[in-house]
Amino acid sequence: MTLVLRTTDRPAEPAPVLPVLPAGMDPLLQLEYETQTPSGPGATRCLSHPREIALRGIPVMCTACRARRDWLLINHGRNVWVCCRCSNQWLEPEISRADFDALIAIPDGTTYPSVEQGLAALGFDGAFAGAYLD
């Protein structure tokens, strides 16, 4: 998977290649390996954030539709992107990976094969533009 967000000004780092288990492995071990949540520096994590976000006292607002809440935060490496329901997204340097980690309280989440499929499944692909889903 290569993370390609529209607001990047440099190429994304390639995802690490996962090791392939030998053909004679136990099927239960194979299943356990395939269902592990992504982790490490190449993992992309998403977090739904329905409330407003204020950075240095200034509320975050979408420049495309002027929404002020109902965000999707996307973390890849040290970067965090903010995505709006209208599908507008931008790199937010004020939110660090440590800030993102502090917001996560979900023990296990849903894993999607790609960022684009995750955006569509969570409704941040523009399908719900102008709507708050609380």
Side-chain angles (χ1 to χ4, degrees):
M1 175 192 85
T2 302
L3 177 66
V4 180
L5 295 173
R6 289 175 283 159
T7 58
T8 60
D9 57 349
R10 60 178 187 258
E13 299 170 1
V17 177
L18 299 174
V20 177
L21 294 175
M25 286 296 289
D26 182 3
L28 292 176
L29 291 176
Q30 179 73 25
L31 179 63
E32 180 183 352
Y33 171 76
E34 291 173 357
T35 57
Q36 289 178 350
T37 57
S39 63
T44 301
R45 303 177 299 164
C46 298
L47 173 67
S48 180
H49 194 324
R51 298 178 310 276
E52 291 184 356
I53 299 174
L55 302 173
R56 296 188 180 188
I58 301 170
V60 173
M61 184 173 64
C62 177
T63 57
C65 71
R66 304 185 59 82
R68 291 181 174 255
R69 60 185 174 101
D70 201 14
W71 308 110
L72 181 69
L73 303 177
I74 304 170
N75 170 237
H76 182 77
R78 287 190 263 163
N79 300 316
V80 176
W81 284 265
V82 177
C83 185
C84 181
R85 290 266 177 211
C86 73
S87 80
N88 184 29
Q89 54 192 336
W90 63 92
L91 177 63
E92 186 53 69
E94 294 291 324
I95 303 174
S96 68
R97 182 178 176 137
D99 297 331
F100 184 90
D101 290 340
L103 291 172
I104 291 186
I106 304 167
D108 55 356
T110 304
T111 303
Y112 299 99
S114 71
V115 173
E116 292 77 20
Q117 290 175 352
L119 291 174
L122 296 170
F124 285 91
D125 61 344
F128 296 108
Y132 286 125
L133 303 177
D134 289 332

